[in-house]
Structure formats: structure tokens, C-alpha cells
Amino acid sequence: MKALKNHWQLYLLFCLPLLYVIVFKYVPMYGAIIAFKNFDPTLGIWGSPWVGLDNFIKFIHSYEFGRVLKNTLLLSLYHLIAGFPFPIILALSLNYVYRKRFKKFAQMITYAPHFISVVVIVGIILLFLSPRGPFSQVLSLFGVHNVDIMGEPSLFKSIYVWSDIWQNVGFGCIIYLAALTGVSPSLHEAAIIDGASILKRIWHIDIPGILPTTIILLILNMGSILDTGFQKVLLLQNSLNLSSSEVIDTFVYKVGLVAPIPQYSYAAAIGFFKAAIAFVLIIGANRLARKVGQESLW
């Protein structure tokens, strides 16, 4: 109570994110019960009959299970492997830019796309890659005409991943730039006296300095590896690329809300299944980090 009285401003600020977590993260857990029921809106959550694991078994044995799980895992792993190093590389590069004007300009250029809404980004992508768009006009100069890039299933994952990297790489590097400020300047001074090049300083000083932060972020990314960005995937989907673009999130949306007869319990079970996998992955990543002697969440 004494601490609350002395620092009430900080506790007041803390109440806002705490309220957000309670309302949008913990309260909805009550609704997850319908995954184990045959939910009927007229009967309510507790009035609907229990069916146990029937909805989970139905999903695992369904025709869509292998396809949506494969697409989700491939898209998530592709995004993690391709996207994770770029904020680190950008942060290390900006850290050695000594011209302040150029550094600020580079930061503004790389940060700006993050603040563009997903709908606008998808609109730009569809316009740029349309059969009559700028990219197709460039291809026509080389004798390739009327190419529907967005209708090609094999290109969907690359379009999604690299456009997302372009949009978020600048914002993602902020935390690494902050971590680099914690690296002692005396280490660089000693390395310069010993004749170390910039690359050697990066390898032997900067990377070990930001490694704990990198491990923590990697663990957190493992927990959200199945969250493929529902909005963007759904907006980029079409009937031609559906075999490659249908992921768990969009499948849950279609089964639970868009279907002529919504299957609320079935959709909840699929979402619960995804959350369970994410929980196992974050536990495994955290345990692996502890075993190799690096930083961990707990």
C-alpha cells in the first residue's frame, strides 16, 4: 500500500494494459469451453451438450486437416527463417552509420511501411502484381504476357513473406538497436586498437551483445508461429491460389462465421488445437534455450 501511494501514477499506467489483457485475453477463455460441446446458441454455453473430444477428432480426420496444417506450418516457417535475420542485419547496419542525417532518413524509409494498414498494403500488392500491373508490363518486355501472379499457388507464400518483411523490417529492428546501445563502447575501443575490422567487431562484440535479446524474441516467435496474419492471408486469397493459401485461421473463419450453417464448436476446437500446438512449441523453445545456456523466458 505504501508503494501504491508513492507510485500511483505508474500503477495507473499499468492498469490500462492489464485491463486489455484481462478483457481480450483471459475473458475469451471462457468461450473455449464450446470446443468440447455441441454448441447451440439457443441453449447457451452451459446448456449445450458435452461431446468431449469429438470436434478435435473430426478435424484430425477431415480432408482439410493435412492441407491447412501443412500450409500454416510452411508459411510460418518460411516467414520465420526468411524474416528473422533481416531486422538484425538492418540494426547492425544502422549502428555503423555515422552520418546522422542519412541514418535518420534510412530509419524513416524503413519504418514508414509498418504504419500502412494491411488493407492498403494488400491493395498495393494486388495492383502491382495484377495481369495489367507494372510488374506484368516489365515481364512483357521479355516476351512474357498476361501472367496472373496472384493466381499462381506456388508464388503465394513468397509474395506474403517478402511483402511482410518489407513492411515490418524497419519497425522490428528498433528493439535490436536498443539492445546495441547496451554494448559497452570500451569493447569497441579495445577492438579498434587491436586492429579489428567492422565485420570482426560485429561478429565478436555486437552479435554476442544482442544474443540474449535475440533468443527471447525467437522464443516468443515460436509461440506465435501458427499466427500467420489472418487479415493479410484472407485478403490475398482467391479461388486460384486457395490450395496454397488456406491456413488454420482462415479455415476457422470460414467454418465458424462464413459457412451457411456456422459450426461454432468445430471452429473453436480448431482454434484450440492451434493454441495447444503453439503452447508446446514455446515450452520446447524455452527449454532448448536453457539447455544450451542462453537466456530464457522462465
Side-chain angles (χ1 to χ4, degrees):
M1 292 302 296
K2 185 178 180 181
L4 180 61
K5 183 179 179 180
N6 294 334
H7 307 288
W8 64 269
Q9 300 95 334
L10 296 177
Y11 284 96
L12 184 62
L13 289 173
F14 175 71
C15 284
L16 295 176
L18 179 63
L19 184 64
Y20 169 80
V21 171
I22 292 174
V23 173
F24 293 101
K25 302 298 180 181
Y26 282 94
V27 173
M29 289 183 184
Y30 169 73
I33 299 173
I34 68 173
F36 304 93
K37 292 193 169 194
N38 184 14
F39 178 68
D40 186 344
T42 60
L43 298 175
I45 293 179
W46 290 109
S48 301
W50 287 93
V51 294
L53 299 175
D54 289 357
N55 291 315
F56 296 90
I57 296 171
K58 178 183 176 182
F59 175 57
I60 292 173
H61 288 91
S62 68
Y63 170 76
E64 299 289 345
F65 174 74
R67 181 165 69 100
V68 298
L69 185 61
K70 176 185 175 184
N71 288 340
T72 305
L73 287 174
L74 288 179
L75 185 61
S76 300
L77 289 173
Y78 185 3
H79 187 274
L80 180 64
I81 294 171
F84 193 77
F86 278 90
I88 301 174
I89 295 171
L90 179 60
L92 292 171
S93 301
L94 290 175
N95 192 49
Y96 285 90
V97 174
Y98 299 111
R99 294 185 179 180
K100 291 186 177 180
R101 287 187 178 181
F102 179 78
K103 184 175 183 178
K104 290 181 179 179
F105 176 76
Q107 286 178 315
M108 182 189 70
I109 293 297
T110 54
Y111 293 173
H114 176 79
F115 300 99
I116 303 174
S117 71
V118 174
V119 176
V120 175
I121 289 292
V122 171
I124 294 172
I125 294 171
L126 295 178
L127 183 64
F128 187 78
L129 298 180
S130 66
R132 295 185 178 181
F135 191 74
S136 295
Q137 292 180 7
V138 172
L139 290 179
S140 65
L141 299 176
F142 297 93
V144 182
H145 301 282
N146 299 323
V147 179
D148 187 5
I149 298 174
M150 292 306 305
E152 182 59 46
S154 61
L155 298 177
F156 175 83
K157 292 181 178 63
S158 294
I159 294 170
Y160 173 89
V161 170
W162 291 106
S163 63
D164 196 72
I165 291 173
W166 165 74
Q167 184 182 5
N168 296 305
V169 64
F171 192 79
C173 83
I174 292 176
I175 192 168
Y176 295 107
L177 283 173
L180 284 169
T181 60
V183 177
S184 176
S186 61
L187 296 175
H188 285 282
E189 293 170 1
I192 293 172
I193 293 173
D194 290 339
S197 63
I198 291 179
L199 289 177
K200 287 186 177 180
R201 286 160 58 193
I202 290 174
W203 183 256
H204 294 287
I205 299 174
D206 291 329
I207 292 181
I210 65 173
L211 191 58
T213 303
T214 305
I215 296 296
I216 294 296
L217 291 177
L218 182 60
I219 294 171
L220 293 174
N221 285 338
M222 290 299 294
S224 60
I225 193 171
L226 298 182
D227 292 330
T228 51
F230 162 76
Q231 264 188 315
K232 189 174 180 181
V233 174
L234 184 66
L235 292 171
L236 288 173
Q237 272 186 357
N238 57 54
S239 57
L240 297 176
N241 64 26
L242 197 61
S243 61
S244 179
S245 63
E246 188 75 287
V247 295
I248 291 178
D249 288 335
T250 56
F251 186 63
V252 168
Y253 169 72
K254 293 174 182 177
V255 169
L257 296 176
V258 179
I261 303 177
Q263 304 178 60
Y264 301 112
S265 294
Y266 185 47
I270 299 171
F272 197 94
F273 174 82
K274 186 191 81 166
I277 293 178
F279 180 73
V280 171
L281 287 174
I282 197 170
I283 292 291
N286 188 77
R287 197 170 278 185
L288 181 62
R290 291 181 64 183
K291 284 189 174 180
V292 297
Q294 298 297 336
E295 295 289 332
S296 60
L297 285 175
W298 66 87

